[in-house]
PDB file of all heavy atoms in Angstrom:
ATOM      1  N   GLU A 168      13.789  -3.271  19.975  1.00 97.00           N
ATOM      2  CA  GLU A 168      13.409  -3.729  21.224  1.00 97.00           C
ATOM      3  C   GLU A 168      12.101  -4.664  21.092  1.00 97.00           C
ATOM      4  O   GLU A 168      11.946  -5.673  21.708  1.00 97.00           O
ATOM      5  CB  GLU A 168      13.068  -2.553  22.210  1.00 97.00           C
ATOM      6  CG  GLU A 168      14.244  -2.017  22.873  1.00 97.00           C
ATOM      7  CD  GLU A 168      14.803  -3.057  23.946  1.00 97.00           C
ATOM      8  OE1 GLU A 168      14.251  -3.071  25.067  1.00 97.00           O
ATOM      9  OE2 GLU A 168      15.729  -3.805  23.543  1.00 97.00           O
ATOM     10  N   PHE A 169      11.092  -4.141  20.335  1.00 98.00           N
ATOM     11  CA  PHE A 169       9.909  -4.906  20.124  1.00 98.00           C
ATOM     12  C   PHE A 169      10.196  -6.264  19.483  1.00 98.00           C
ATOM     13  O   PHE A 169       9.564  -7.262  19.794  1.00 98.00           O
ATOM     14  CB  PHE A 169       8.907  -4.056  19.330  1.00 98.00           C
ATOM     15  CG  PHE A 169       8.409  -2.866  20.005  1.00 98.00           C
ATOM     16  CD1 PHE A 169       7.578  -1.952  19.347  1.00 98.00           C
ATOM     17  CD2 PHE A 169       8.479  -2.693  21.404  1.00 98.00           C
ATOM     18  CE1 PHE A 169       7.034  -0.869  20.079  1.00 98.00           C
ATOM     19  CE2 PHE A 169       8.004  -1.641  22.093  1.00 98.00           C
ATOM     20  CZ  PHE A 169       7.217  -0.743  21.389  1.00 98.00           C
ATOM     21  N   GLU A 170      11.061  -6.277  18.551  1.00 97.00           N
ATOM     22  CA  GLU A 170      11.415  -7.528  17.889  1.00 97.00           C
ATOM     23  C   GLU A 170      12.181  -8.465  18.817  1.00 97.00           C
ATOM     24  O   GLU A 170      11.899  -9.734  18.892  1.00 97.00           O
ATOM     25  CB  GLU A 170      12.298  -7.312  16.635  1.00 97.00           C
ATOM     26  CG  GLU A 170      11.534  -6.798  15.397  1.00 97.00           C
ATOM     27  CD  GLU A 170      12.267  -6.989  14.144  1.00 97.00           C
ATOM     28  OE1 GLU A 170      13.044  -6.034  13.886  1.00 97.00           O
ATOM     29  OE2 GLU A 170      12.103  -7.936  13.440  1.00 97.00           O
ATOM     30  N   ARG A 171      13.051  -7.924  19.658  1.00 97.00           N
ATOM     31  CA  ARG A 171      13.827  -8.714  20.574  1.00 97.00           C
ATOM     32  C   ARG A 171      12.860  -9.396  21.586  1.00 97.00           C
ATOM     33  O   ARG A 171      13.061 -10.620  21.974  1.00 97.00           O
ATOM     34  CB  ARG A 171      14.755  -7.851  21.386  1.00 97.00           C
ATOM     35  CG  ARG A 171      15.619  -8.658  22.456  1.00 97.00           C
ATOM     36  CD  ARG A 171      16.539  -7.731  23.106  1.00 97.00           C
ATOM     37  NE  ARG A 171      15.836  -6.828  24.034  1.00 97.00           N
ATOM     38  CZ  ARG A 171      15.501  -7.112  25.251  1.00 97.00           C
ATOM     39  NH1 ARG A 171      15.686  -8.361  25.746  1.00 97.00           N
ATOM     40  NH2 ARG A 171      14.818  -6.217  26.029  1.00 97.00           N
ATOM     41  N   LEU A 172      11.818  -8.689  22.008  1.00 98.00           N
ATOM     42  CA  LEU A 172      10.845  -9.215  22.939  1.00 98.00           C
ATOM     43  C   LEU A 172       9.666 -10.003  22.296  1.00 98.00           C
ATOM     44  O   LEU A 172       8.777 -10.374  23.005  1.00 98.00           O
ATOM     45  CB  LEU A 172      10.297  -8.124  23.836  1.00 98.00           C
ATOM     46  CG  LEU A 172      11.380  -7.388  24.666  1.00 98.00           C
ATOM     47  CD1 LEU A 172      10.780  -6.118  25.348  1.00 98.00           C
ATOM     48  CD2 LEU A 172      11.912  -8.311  25.744  1.00 98.00           C
ATOM     49  N   GLU A 173       9.731 -10.063  20.861  1.00 97.00           N
ATOM     50  CA  GLU A 173       8.718 -10.781  20.085  1.00 97.00           C
ATOM     51  C   GLU A 173       7.345 -10.211  20.368  1.00 97.00           C
ATOM     52  O   GLU A 173       6.299 -10.928  20.553  1.00 97.00           O
ATOM     53  CB  GLU A 173       8.719 -12.281  20.492  1.00 97.00           C
ATOM     54  CG  GLU A 173      10.093 -12.976  20.132  1.00 97.00           C
ATOM     55  CD  GLU A 173      10.111 -14.447  20.506  1.00 97.00           C
ATOM     56  OE1 GLU A 173       9.112 -14.917  21.140  1.00 97.00           O
ATOM     57  OE2 GLU A 173      11.036 -15.076  20.038  1.00 97.00           O
ATOM     58  N   LEU A 174       7.276  -8.880  20.462  1.00 98.00           N
ATOM     59  CA  LEU A 174       6.011  -8.189  20.648  1.00 98.00           C
ATOM     60  C   LEU A 174       5.196  -7.845  19.482  1.00 98.00           C
ATOM     61  O   LEU A 174       3.990  -7.589  19.453  1.00 98.00           O
ATOM     62  CB  LEU A 174       6.235  -6.919  21.473  1.00 98.00           C
ATOM     63  CG  LEU A 174       6.782  -7.053  22.877  1.00 98.00           C
ATOM     64  CD1 LEU A 174       7.111  -5.628  23.465  1.00 98.00           C
ATOM     65  CD2 LEU A 174       5.872  -7.828  23.769  1.00 98.00           C
ATOM     66  N   ILE A 175       5.860  -7.895  18.291  1.00 98.00           N
ATOM     67  CA  ILE A 175       5.268  -7.624  17.029  1.00 98.00           C
ATOM     68  C   ILE A 175       4.412  -8.803  16.505  1.00 98.00           C
ATOM     69  O   ILE A 175       5.121  -9.789  16.175  1.00 98.00           O
ATOM     70  CB  ILE A 175       6.277  -7.057  15.972  1.00 98.00           C
ATOM     71  CG1 ILE A 175       6.903  -5.767  16.537  1.00 98.00           C
ATOM     72  CG2 ILE A 175       5.537  -6.755  14.614  1.00 98.00           C
ATOM     73  CD1 ILE A 175       7.952  -5.221  15.592  1.00 98.00           C
ATOM     74  N   GLU A 176       3.222  -8.645  16.356  1.00 97.00           N
ATOM     75  CA  GLU A 176       2.317  -9.772  15.926  1.00 97.00           C
ATOM     76  C   GLU A 176       1.574  -9.469  14.632  1.00 97.00           C
ATOM     77  O   GLU A 176       0.828  -8.530  14.543  1.00 97.00           O
ATOM     78  CB  GLU A 176       1.297 -10.027  16.990  1.00 97.00           C
ATOM     79  CG  GLU A 176       0.337 -11.146  16.720  1.00 97.00           C
ATOM     80  CD  GLU A 176      -0.813 -11.288  17.698  1.00 97.00           C
ATOM     81  OE1 GLU A 176      -1.196 -10.274  18.329  1.00 97.00           O
ATOM     82  OE2 GLU A 176      -1.228 -12.476  17.959  1.00 97.00           O
ATOM     83  N   PRO A 177       1.802 -10.288  13.559  1.00 96.00           N
ATOM     84  CA  PRO A 177       1.111 -10.088  12.346  1.00 96.00           C
ATOM     85  C   PRO A 177      -0.417 -10.194  12.541  1.00 96.00           C
ATOM     86  O   PRO A 177      -0.813 -11.053  13.337  1.00 96.00           O
ATOM     87  CB  PRO A 177       1.664 -11.092  11.340  1.00 96.00           C
ATOM     88  CG  PRO A 177       3.041 -11.435  11.984  1.00 96.00           C
ATOM     89  CD  PRO A 177       2.904 -11.255  13.440  1.00 96.00           C
ATOM     90  N   ILE A 178      -1.216  -9.380  11.818  1.00 97.00           N
ATOM     91  CA  ILE A 178      -2.672  -9.533  11.880  1.00 97.00           C
ATOM     92  C   ILE A 178      -3.277  -9.589  10.562  1.00 97.00           C
ATOM     93  O   ILE A 178      -2.588  -9.345   9.534  1.00 97.00           O
ATOM     94  CB  ILE A 178      -3.199  -8.315  12.594  1.00 97.00           C
ATOM     95  CG1 ILE A 178      -2.838  -6.951  11.864  1.00 97.00           C
ATOM     96  CG2 ILE A 178      -2.867  -8.195  14.062  1.00 97.00           C
ATOM     97  CD1 ILE A 178      -3.522  -5.756  12.412  1.00 97.00           C
ATOM     98  N   ARG A 179      -4.438 -10.120  10.522  1.00 97.00           N
ATOM     99  CA  ARG A 179      -5.262 -10.166   9.267  1.00 97.00           C
ATOM    100  C   ARG A 179      -6.451  -9.277   9.311  1.00 97.00           C
ATOM    101  O   ARG A 179      -7.273  -9.363  10.264  1.00 97.00           O
ATOM    102  CB  ARG A 179      -5.712 -11.574   8.989  1.00 97.00           C
ATOM    103  CG  ARG A 179      -6.494 -11.772   7.739  1.00 97.00           C
ATOM    104  CD  ARG A 179      -6.943 -13.292   7.594  1.00 97.00           C
ATOM    105  NE  ARG A 179      -7.865 -13.472   6.482  1.00 97.00           N
ATOM    106  CZ  ARG A 179      -7.496 -13.689   5.227  1.00 97.00           C
ATOM    107  NH1 ARG A 179      -6.256 -13.525   4.858  1.00 97.00           N
ATOM    108  NH2 ARG A 179      -8.442 -13.902   4.284  1.00 97.00           N
TER     109      ARG A 179
END
Side-chain angles (χ1 to χ4, degrees):
E168 276 293 276
F169 289 170
E170 282 198 276
R171 180 181 70 82
L172 297 171
E173 299 180 349
L174 294 177
I175 300 178
E176 177 184 36
I178 56 173
R179 178 178 173 85

